[in-house]
Amino acid sequence: MAEVNTNTEAKENNIPSRNFIENAIDKDLQEGVYDHVHTRFPPEPNGFLHIGHAKSILLNYGLAREYNGKFNLRFDDTNPTKERSEFMDSIIADVNWLGADYEDRLFHASDYFDEMYENAVKLIKKGKAYVSTLSAEEMREYRGTLTEPGKNDPDRDRSIEENLKLFEDMKEGKVEDGAMTLRAKIDMSSPNINMRDPIIYRVAHMTHARTGDKWCIYPMYDFAHPIEDAIEGITHSICTLEFEDHRPLYDWVVRECEYANPPRQIEFAKMYLTNVVTGKRYIKKLVEDGIVDGWDDPRLVTIAALRRRGFTPESIRMFVELCGVSKAQSSAEYAMLEYCIREDLKAKAKRMMAILDPVKLVIDNYPENTTEMLEIENNKEVPEMGMRKLPFSRELYIERDDFMEEPPKKYFRLFPGNEVRLMNAYFVTCTGCVKDENGNVVEVHCTYDPETKSGSGFNARKVKGTIHWVDASSAVNAEVRLYENIVDEEKGVYNEDGSINVNPNSITVIKNAKLEPELANVKAGDKFQFVRNGFFCVDSKDSKEGALVFNRIVSLKSSFVLPKN
């Protein structure tokens, strides 16, 4: 049984404070309501999961682990009109990637269709459910409003025998879609609209991915979900705040279906991320319109997209922990998510040389046909990551914006007459440049001082500028994709007509980046810091041997400041 820690006790004993869900679970355990904790994550397989779902996954799994309990992954596959195996596969991959171990507890709502049907029959026999012939439009008219009670369905007082016969007809395929529904018989005058005789079964002549054509009636979510929880022995049904008004119906279902030790529903606030697209129908539209290349396009915040872009499970967990758990609706900045991946990768990623906009640098006084191998630290902040060898010769590539013929003040990189350090190599002094017939710089020329080699102890003079480089003869060609928000942040996420304000500059594709030779031997998902350019990941979909593609995960600079406690 878990110990109960109040926030005051926690502060006095230097114990992390408990969130309201933990406090509720502690109380249930202490009072003997439950003797264990069993949670679940119950996604509907009608789209890819997004960053908000990550919070729910990690919260439910984290609670189970904290209390040495159990955690289920369950697909709420009660609506065959929108469900696809592709979505189930992606959800399983996401949950596994986040590290939420459901062991052998993978379930489907469709596993319980027989028991759900039996429960519906039980409710009819108890006089707690009836078959309705109202159309959807008539149903809305009878339902009432937030300020006016609803009206009783004309079919509400059918006999139990007639309801059983009609429900059997629905099950046997004798009723057309939309002609009849099964409604719970609760209270049409309830101030909670969810309790005004909600529909619990509808007719849908559709083939289900798992049950085939066995059923032509399907349970509604509000009826199915509490039954699924009860069957699996879930103790605490942790869900988002929009289900708070559905809780009385949740409790009604498990009570009237006579489940012992019913689960308890607890709601928490969703995690909103500013200036991003999370709605499934909006993402689907972006995919269908070809604005993104799939649900895992790195500009999106689906979990699959974040994984493909290069985010790590650890960074997502850190982000979720920083957001916390509460009842109050709030939004987090995307910059905080970027902060988390920077924090995670800065001690994990090798710092590599990569030139995104290359121009050739020729060291005129360096020996021709000579290549020396320079020893470079993989990550100066993490010495245990070791060293690597990097080739250096007379011809190199540097970033185009590291040279200017007529520089502004406080420009400390290459310009005629100026001396800079080539990172981990030598001091070089610019002597001029070569241009093509259009006036574009195609070569920068310089001389080097052999006495200034890094690590030699040279300190006769200092330079203000240091630039990175890649050896021209051994450089690896690669495509690099620089991503920005898919949303035009200045205009907001949505237009007045509900469409998305798409940022026309959300992706920049660089076809001819030059990378140091070690980056030829990478695999999908490998992550690196490209010196001065940001953190990058080998794309898992488009990158191939000999045709590498790197996604920028995040730039090096951050506008986010971690709040002080």
Side-chain angles (χ1 to χ4, degrees):
M1 186 175 295
E3 295 290 331
V4 178
N5 290 310
T6 66
N7 288 343
T8 302
E9 290 172 338
K11 290 178 181 177
E12 290 175 353
N13 294 287
N14 198 29
I15 300 171
S17 61
R18 315 285 282 166
N19 64 52
F20 77 96
I21 296 177
E22 291 170 320
N23 287 335
I25 293 175
D26 289 342
K27 187 171 184 291
D28 284 346
L29 293 171
Q30 189 177 60
E31 294 177 355
V33 178
Y34 306 105
D35 60 5
H36 67 289
V37 172
H38 196 161
T39 62
R40 82 291 170 268
F41 175 64
E44 297 174 77
N46 58 7
F48 278 50
L49 303 180
H50 57 67
I51 184 68
H53 294 111
K55 178 176 182 177
S56 184
I57 294 167
L58 294 171
L59 174 59
N60 277 283
Y61 172 67
L63 289 168
R65 187 175 61 175
E66 177 184 349
Y67 290 94
N68 295 314
K70 296 178 181 179
F71 170 73
N72 293 2
L73 172 60
R74 179 214 308 143
F75 289 109
D76 256 314
D77 56 342
T78 58
N79 185 4
T81 61
K82 297 181 180 180
E83 294 157 2
R84 301 207 317 246
S85 58
E86 171 196 2
F87 297 141
M88 289 190 187
D89 293 342
S90 72
I91 289 169
I92 289 172
D94 291 343
V95 175
N96 289 337
W97 179 72
L98 285 171
D101 185 5
Y102 49 86
E103 298 178 359
D104 58 348
R105 289 185 293 277
L106 172 61
F107 303 107
H108 297 77
S110 54
D111 296 336
Y112 315 130
F113 280 171
D114 287 297
E115 187 164 339
M116 290 176 191
Y117 176 77
E118 291 167 5
N119 276 309
V121 172
K122 178 187 289 186
L123 293 179
I124 294 173
K125 289 179 177 180
K126 291 174 66 174
K128 297 289 186 177
Y130 61 94
V131 173
S132 171
T133 57
L134 289 180
S135 66
E137 184 178 345
E138 290 170 329
M139 194 86 70
R140 284 191 292 271
E141 292 174 1
Y142 274 72
R143 195 180 191 196
T145 66
L146 291 172
T147 57
E148 296 179 357
K151 296 183 297 182
N152 283 350
D153 189 313
D155 299 318
R156 199 172 196 267
D157 295 323
R158 285 186 194 277
S159 68
I160 289 174
E161 292 72 20
E162 188 178 3
N163 281 317
L164 287 172
K165 174 64 171 63
L166 290 174
F167 191 49
E168 179 72 11
D169 288 346
M170 290 168 60
K171 175 179 177 289
E172 295 300 319
K174 298 176 181 179
V175 178
E176 293 181 359
D177 290 7
M180 291 183 184
T181 59
L182 184 69
R183 300 181 70 177
K185 192 174 185 179
I186 307 178
D187 182 5
M188 288 303 296
S189 64
S190 172
N192 185 337
I193 291 181
N194 296 294
M195 300 297 281
R196 295 180 187 174
D197 291 12
I199 298 172
I200 58 177
Y201 261 93
R202 82 268 193 210
V203 179
H205 290 82
M206 293 197 67
T207 301
H208 189 281
R210 302 187 73 250
T211 60
D213 295 322
K214 177 180 178 180
W215 298 93
C216 60
I217 56 171
Y218 291 97
M220 302 299 286
Y221 180 87
D222 277 345
F223 179 69
H225 188 75
I227 292 174
E228 296 157 29
D229 284 346
I231 291 172
E232 293 177 9
I234 301 303
T235 58
H236 297 85
S237 179
I238 312 300
C239 59
T240 48
L241 210 54
E242 72 264 30
F243 291 101
E244 187 171 30
D245 289 341
H246 297 246
R247 192 197 318 149
L249 179 55
Y250 182 101
D251 294 340
W252 184 91
V253 170
V254 291
R255 182 175 65 251
E256 294 298 338
C257 291
E258 302 174 13
Y259 283 101
N261 302 315
R264 175 185 179 185
Q265 178 175 302
I266 303 175
E267 309 86 16
F268 68 97
K270 275 185 175 181
M271 180 170 68
Y272 289 98
L273 204 56
T274 56
N275 291 317
V276 300
V277 179
T278 55
K280 290 177 182 177
R281 67 187 180 97
Y282 293 108
I283 296 176
K284 183 181 179 183
K285 187 75 164 58
L286 290 172
V287 173
E288 290 175 346
D289 291 349
I291 295 171
V292 296
D293 72 357
W295 288 78
D296 63 349
D297 186 290
R299 290 166 288 180
L300 300 174
V301 290
T302 61
I303 298 174
L306 292 169
R307 179 166 66 248
R308 180 180 169 192
R309 182 156 174 172
F311 281 81
T312 61
E314 294 82 2
S315 67
I316 304 298
R317 288 198 289 269
M318 180 182 180
F319 176 67
V320 168
E321 289 171 6
L322 287 175
C323 289
V325 179
S326 75
K327 279 273 192 182
Q329 298 283 19
S330 61
S331 296
E333 296 178 32
Y334 189 83
M336 185 162 82
L337 181 59
E338 292 181 322
Y339 166 84
C340 293
I341 187 62
R342 286 190 192 95
E343 286 297 299
D344 187 50
L345 289 183
K346 69 181 183 182
K348 293 180 178 178
K350 285 184 178 182
R351 297 182 178 179
M352 312 295 283
M353 301 282 206
I355 305 300
L356 305 190
D357 186 11
V359 65
K360 188 165 283 188
L361 177 72
V362 180
I363 308 174
D364 293 314
N365 64 333
Y366 192 85
E368 294 188 38
N369 302 316
T370 299
T371 299
E372 62 179 307
M373 302 301 293
L374 303 179
E375 197 167 50
I376 297 177
E377 290 176 294
N378 285 320
N379 188 326
K380 288 186 177 182
E381 295 181 19
V382 189
E384 54 268 31
M385 288 184 70
M387 310 286 286
R388 70 182 186 281
K389 300 281 190 179
L390 191 64
F392 181 91
S393 65
R394 186 173 184 270
E395 294 189 356
L396 312 171
Y397 288 112
I398 63 171
E399 294 286 0
R400 188 168 295 275
D401 63 6
D402 279 341
F403 168 78
M404 293 185 73
E405 275 192 284
E406 299 178 2
K409 291 183 178 180
K410 297 186 178 180
Y411 180 87
F412 300 120
R413 286 166 277 172
L414 281 174
F415 56 88
N418 193 47
E419 186 175 49
V420 302
R421 174 175 287 284
L422 295 178
M423 188 176 290
N424 298 108
Y426 298 94
F427 285 12
V428 295
T429 301
C430 180
T431 58
C433 65
V434 177
K435 299 180 183 179
D436 64 15
E437 63 274 14
N438 297 316
N440 300 310
V441 174
V442 293
E443 283 184 2
V444 178
H445 285 255
C446 64
T447 58
Y448 88 118
D449 182 346
E451 302 296 322
T452 60
K453 186 175 182 179
S454 290
S456 65
F458 177 84
N459 59 7
R461 62 185 183 276
K462 304 291 183 183
V463 292
K464 291 185 177 180
T466 300
I467 64 174
H468 67 295
W469 50 273
V470 168
D471 177 60
S473 62
S474 59
V476 174
N477 292 322
E479 178 177 313
V480 173
R481 298 171 180 173
L482 308 180
Y483 292 105
E484 302 294 341
N485 196 339
I486 191 69
V487 171
D488 188 332
E489 297 184 25
E490 292 185 3
K491 297 179 181 178
V493 179
Y494 304 112
N495 294 306
E496 291 182 3
D497 63 359
S499 61
I500 298 168
N501 268 317
V502 175
N503 174 11
N505 302 311
S506 61
I507 180 171
T508 301
V509 178
I510 298 168
K511 292 288 189 179
N512 193 35
K514 305 294 184 181
L515 281 53
E516 65 171 90
E518 186 169 318
L519 288 169
N521 304 309
V522 294
K523 62 182 184 298
D526 284 351
K527 300 166 185 66
F528 306 93
Q529 182 186 136
F530 288 178
V531 172
R532 295 171 61 204
N533 280 309
F535 291 98
F536 290 76
C537 174
V538 182
D539 187 78
S540 58
K541 181 182 284 188
D542 297 331
S543 192
K544 299 177 178 61
E545 186 176 353
L548 298 176
V549 177
F550 288 81
N551 300 326
R552 185 170 65 185
I553 309 167
V554 66
S555 61
L556 295 177
K557 293 182 180 179
S558 173
S559 60
F560 178 78
V561 179
L562 187 66
K564 294 182 179 179
N565 293 331

